[in-house]
Amino acid sequence: MSLTVVNGLPAHVLIVHFVIVLVPLSALAVVVGAIWPGAARRMGLLLPLLALATLVSVPLATGAGEWLEEHVDSNALVRRHAELGDGLLPWAVGLLLLATLVWWTARRSAPAEAEGGERARPVATRSATAVRVVTAVLCLGVAAGAMVDVYRIGDSGAKAAWKDGFSKSARSAQGGRGDDD
């Protein structure tokens, strides 16, 4: 069962707003957590849970979008938007995997830092730093990819919904609004 209509409007119109908010928020949280382990420890389990909510919102939006696609006039803009929308799921999976990795490594590093303090072995410190740098670079790449994809999908959806659907000039004040004036 999928959501199709909410309060008389296609559910896709509502659900995409969760995606629009959650993807950049998850991307930002993952990057901050990867670069700043203290922030990852403070976010705790919220970090992977946020990415999980993001992941869940993507197929909900695409499912509702597929229903909507069957109920609107098909054109090249609608088809392009649908094609782009199908590509977001791997980015959301990547955000979840990296959020879980950042959370897990931050959680495991807290006791090690407390025990070792400043007397930690230089080799272990260098390898931990290398892992942190590689993780941060991966997080930056996936976060950037996810955010660019969300932008492209949203832009194509707006074009599909609004192309030729409004006037570039304002209506006159006297008769352009209808019977409710």
Side-chain angles (χ1 to χ4, degrees), residues 27-156:
L28 179 63
V30 166
V31 169
V32 167
I35 293 172
W36 184 19
R41 283 191 291 278
R42 282 186 207 96
M43 285 186 274
L45 196 56
L46 181 62
L47 182 60
L49 289 176
L50 176 63
L52 178 62
T54 301
L55 177 62
V56 168
S57 72
V58 171
L60 287 175
T62 54
E66 288 168 359
W67 177 88
L68 181 58
E69 184 180 14
E70 295 172 2
H71 292 82
V72 297
D73 292 335
S74 182
N75 61 45
L77 293 173
V78 170
R79 288 189 299 275
R80 176 71 177 148
H81 176 64
E83 288 172 16
L84 289 172
D86 289 337
L88 186 58
L89 189 59
W91 292 112
V93 169
L95 285 172
L96 176 61
L97 292 174
L98 288 169
T100 303
L101 175 67
V102 167
W103 166 74
W104 186 74
T105 56
R107 185 173 168 255
R108 291 197 43 132
S109 69
E113 287 175 5
E115 291 174 8
E118 293 185 24
R119 295 181 290 197
R121 296 181 309 202
V123 173
T125 303
R126 276 184 267 155
S127 70
T129 301
V131 168
R132 187 176 294 151
V133 168
V134 168
T135 302
V137 169
L138 280 172
C139 288
L140 281 168
V142 170
M147 290 176 59
V148 166
D149 210 28
V150 164
Y151 170 80
R152 292 177 63 220
I153 295 164
D155 182 61
S156 70

